Amino acid sequence: MKGNGKYFPLHEFLQQQEKEQVILSFKKMEEILQTSLPQSAYKYQAWWGNTRSGTYVQSAAWLEAGFRVEYIQFGEYVEFRKSAKALLTKKRSRASRKIEMHLIEN
């Protein structure tokens, strides 16, 4: 993740967390970011999606820090939960899935 992006401070904060679950109030996130969250963060589930789509640059902050959004109470708080590395990567090729399946079976 770029060190100068708007959501990089959130990335850094989450990356330093050792707990499996991190719950941040919207106010605390705005303190970490040193700016207000956009109105869409207060209204839309999609803003908090765990996707690496080019239009959702904010999700890279938590995904690349090893977290996923688990639950949102709009305007109140967000629950982040650590995720397995495999869940955070883009879709893997069929070949790599077959290799993993083979390893599990044997």
Side-chain angles (χ1 to χ4, degrees):
M1 162 150 233
K2 283 186 177 179
N4 60 355
K6 178 179 179 179
Y7 298 101
F8 186 71
L10 178 60
H11 168 80
E12 280 189 312
F13 176 86
L14 289 171
Q15 206 169 34
Q16 295 170 5
Q17 304 309 302
E18 294 182 16
K19 294 181 180 178
E20 291 294 314
Q21 176 192 50
V22 176
I23 299 174
L24 294 175
S25 68
F26 276 50
K27 181 180 178 182
K28 179 65 177 174
M29 274 190 277
E30 290 174 340
E31 287 174 11
I32 292 167
L33 295 170
Q34 298 181 349
T35 189
S36 297
L37 289 166
Q39 286 301 308
S40 53
Y42 284 83
K43 296 179 183 179
Y44 302 112
Q45 181 81 26
W47 196 91
W48 296 100
N50 294 307
T51 181
R52 291 180 185 261
S53 168
T55 59
Y56 293 101
V57 294
Q58 69 279 6
S59 62
W62 55 82
L63 292 173
E64 292 181 22
F67 285 84
R68 296 176 60 79
V69 170
E70 190 75 17
Y71 180 77
I72 307 150
Q73 181 66 45
F74 287 100
E76 299 293 323
Y77 65 89
V78 176
E79 176 187 337
F80 295 95
R81 186 164 299 274
K82 279 194 179 177
S83 292
K85 196 80 162 166
L87 293 174
L88 297 172
T89 59
K90 291 184 178 182
K91 291 183 180 177
R92 293 167 288 162
S93 69
R94 282 190 182 155
S96 68
R97 285 196 302 263
K98 284 181 183 178
I99 291 168
E100 288 173 4
M101 289 172 54
H102 179 72
L103 292 174
I104 292 169
E105 293 171 357
N106 294 320

